[in-house]
Amino acid sequence: MQLNRIILAPMEGVLDYYVRQILTEINQFDYCVTEFVRVTQHKLSNRTFYRLCPELYNEGKTLSGTPVRVQLLGQSPEWMAENAIKALELGSYGIDINFGCPAKTVVGSHGGAYLLQYPDQIFNIVTQVRTAIGAIPILSVKIRLGWDDKSRCYEIAEAIEQAGANEIIIHGRTKTDGYKAEKIDWSTIGKIKQKLTIPVIANGEIFSIADAQNCLTQSQTNDIMLGRGILNIPNLANKIRFKHSPLNWQEVMQLLLRYAMTPIEDAKPLYHSARIKQWLAYLRQNYPQASILIPEIRQLKSQNEICNFLKTKLDNKSN
Ligand SMILES: Cc1cc2nc3c(=O)[nH]c(=O)nc-3n(C[C@H](O)[C@H](O)[C@H](O)COP(=O)(O)O)c2cc1C
C-alpha cells in the first residue's frame, strides 16, 4: 500500500507542546493530536485548552505549520459536545475523541477504553459531538480493537462511522493487550477497513521502515500514526517517508538540550530532569549512548544543571 499521511500520536505526559514543536520541525507530519483532556460534567476553561494546546494561539498549528487537533476523553455526550464546540471556537484543527486509554483512573471512571464494551454509548457520544459541531469540522475517533477481545471491533467501528466521524484511528491491540509487542494485530485493522468508507489510520508498534511497510500491507491503509517510535528515533517520520538516515547522537543531544533549555511556565522543580530522563529511556532503544547518560542525569535536579551537563557533553563530544 502507498503511504499517504503520517500523524503524530497523542501521548499524555510525554508528547507535550514543546516536544510537538521539536518533532514537527524535523519531520513532515500531516497533523498532531494533543494529549487527552478529561471532560467531566462541565465546560473546560479557556486556560485549560490553551495549556493543553498552546498552538491554539497560533491558529491551531505548531510554529512550523503542522495542524494540531485537540483530543477529548469523556463519557457524557452533552459535555463532550459542549467542549468540542469550545475547542473548535478556540481554533483546534478538528476534534479527536479518545476511546482507547487504558489508565486505571480513566477506565475506573468509565472513560477511554472502558467504553469499548459499550458501542451504543460510543455511538451516542460521537453522534452528539457531530450534531453539536455541524457537518464541516473534522471529527476523528481513536480506539483500540476492543476491551478484552476483538469480537466487537466491527460493531464499534461501524457505530463510529454511522455517528458521523470523518476518520478512525485504530491502535491494533485490545485494552487487555496493553503494550505487548507480540499482540499487535495490523491485519484486523485491515478487516475493519474493508467494512468502512471513512479513512482508517493504523497505529501501534511502528519503530522502523520495515514495520511501517508491514503495517501498511497488513492493515491495507495509506495512513499511519507514530507514537513511541518517534521518541526512539526522533526523525522516524522522515526516515519512513523520505528514507532519511536516523539522526546521529550529536543531533539527538542538540534536541535534548533544546528541550532542556525551554523555559516552561509553572514548571515543577523536577520537570525538566523527569522529562529528559523519560525521553532518554525511549532513546536508549536505538542509541546506546542514552543508557550511559541516564544514571548521570539522575543526580541532577535543576534546569541549569541539566543544561550545563548536556552542553558539556556536546562540547566534549565524549558521550
Ligand atoms: C505514555 C503514553 C501516553 C499516551 N497517551 C495517550 C493519549 O493521551 N491519548 C491517546 O489517544 N493515546 C495515548 N497513548 C497511546 C498512543 O497514542 C498510541 O496509541 C500507542 O502508544 C500505540 O502506538 P505506538 O506503538 O506507536 O506507541 C499513550 C501512550 C503512551 C505510551
Side-chain angles (χ1 to χ4, degrees), residues 71-87:
Q71 185 182 69
L72 304 177
L73 185 157
Q75 64 273 36
S76 154
E78 295 76 23
W79 290 109
M80 288 291 278
E82 285 287 325
N83 283 291
I85 293 173
K86 181 146 186 178

Side-chain angles (χ1 to χ4, degrees), residues 9-12 36 71 98 142 171 179 203-205 227-228:
M11 285 179 69
E12 203 260 331
F36 74 80
Q71 185 182 69
N98 176 328
K142 184 162 178 285
H171 174 186
Y179 287 92
N203 167 242
E205 219 59 26
R228 292 163 301 156

Side-chain angles (χ1 to χ4, degrees), residues 94-138:
I95 297 293
D96 184 70
I97 303 181
N98 176 328
F99 294 123
C101 181
K104 269 200 185 115
T105 47
V106 168
V107 296
S109 60
H110 300 178
Y114 175 87
L115 291 166
L116 294 170
Q117 302 167 101
Y118 305 100
D120 289 354
Q121 285 191 44
I122 290 183
F123 178 80
N124 288 341
I125 294 168
V126 180
T127 303
Q128 202 136 332
V129 170
R130 170 54 80 201
T131 307
I133 64 177
I136 308 290
I138 301 168

Side-chain angles (χ1 to χ4, degrees), residues 65-258:
T66 309
V68 184
R69 185 169 301 164
V70 166
Q71 185 182 69
L72 304 177
L73 185 157
Q75 64 273 36
S76 154
E78 295 76 23
W79 290 109
M80 288 291 278
E82 285 287 325
N83 283 291
I85 293 173
K86 181 146 186 178
L88 290 171
E89 281 169 0
L90 293 175
S92 175
Y93 170 68
I95 297 293
D96 184 70
I97 303 181
N98 176 328
F99 294 123
C101 181
K104 269 200 185 115
T105 47
V106 168
V107 296
S109 60
H110 300 178
Y114 175 87
L115 291 166
L116 294 170
Q117 302 167 101
Y118 305 100
D120 289 354
Q121 285 191 44
I122 290 183
F123 178 80
N124 288 341
I125 294 168
V126 180
T127 303
Q128 202 136 332
V129 170
R130 170 54 80 201
T131 307
I133 64 177
I136 308 290
I138 301 168
L139 176 59
S140 56
V141 176
K142 184 162 178 285
I143 60 168
R144 284 179 176 243
L145 292 174
W147 175 255
D148 52 8
D149 69 51
K150 301 168 199 166
S151 58
R152 303 187 80 180
C153 64
Y154 306 108
E155 194 187 341
I156 295 165
E158 282 167 350
I160 289 167
E161 174 165 291
Q162 279 161 22
N166 300 95
E167 56 191 17
I168 181 164
I169 302 159
I170 308 179
H171 174 186
R173 279 181 276 239
T174 64
K175 184 261 171 198
T176 312
D177 293 337
Y179 287 92
K180 288 188 195 117
E182 70 279 10
K183 295 286 183 182
I184 195 68
D185 179 0
W186 296 316
S187 61
T188 297
I189 300 179
K191 291 183 198 137
I192 296 174
K193 184 169 182 270
Q194 282 171 11
K195 300 200 182 275
L196 302 182
T197 56
I198 56 174
V200 172
I201 297 156
N203 167 242
E205 219 59 26
I206 301 173
F207 295 105
S208 65
I209 296 179
D211 291 340
Q213 280 161 350
N214 288 337
C215 174
L216 290 171
T217 307
Q218 291 178 35
S219 67
Q220 292 291 297
T221 63
N222 306 104
D223 303 319
I224 56 173
M225 172 179 268
L226 301 179
R228 292 163 301 156
I230 196 78
L231 295 160
N232 294 1
I233 303 177
N235 67 334
L236 181 63
N238 277 10
K239 191 167 176 284
I240 292 170
R241 200 192 281 282
F242 304 118
K243 311 277 178 288
H244 285 178
S245 313
L247 297 185
N248 64 39
W249 181 241
Q250 291 299 312
E251 291 166 326
V252 172
M253 286 280 285
Q254 272 152 6
L255 295 184
L256 286 175
L257 176 59
R258 196 175 136 200

Side-chain angles (χ1 to χ4, degrees), residues 52-63:
L52 173 80
C53 184
E55 293 94 338
L56 295 172
Y57 289 116
N58 187 40
E59 298 176 347
K61 293 185 178 145
T62 64
L63 293 179

Side-chain angles (χ1 to χ4, degrees), residues 25 46 48 64 88 120 137 140 147 190 192 199 251 261 263 272 282 289 312:
E25 245 178 68
N46 285 8
T48 300
S64 48
L88 290 171
D120 289 354
S140 56
W147 175 255
I192 296 174
E251 291 166 326
M261 283 169 64
H272 285 87
Y282 285 104
Q289 301 93 323
T312 314

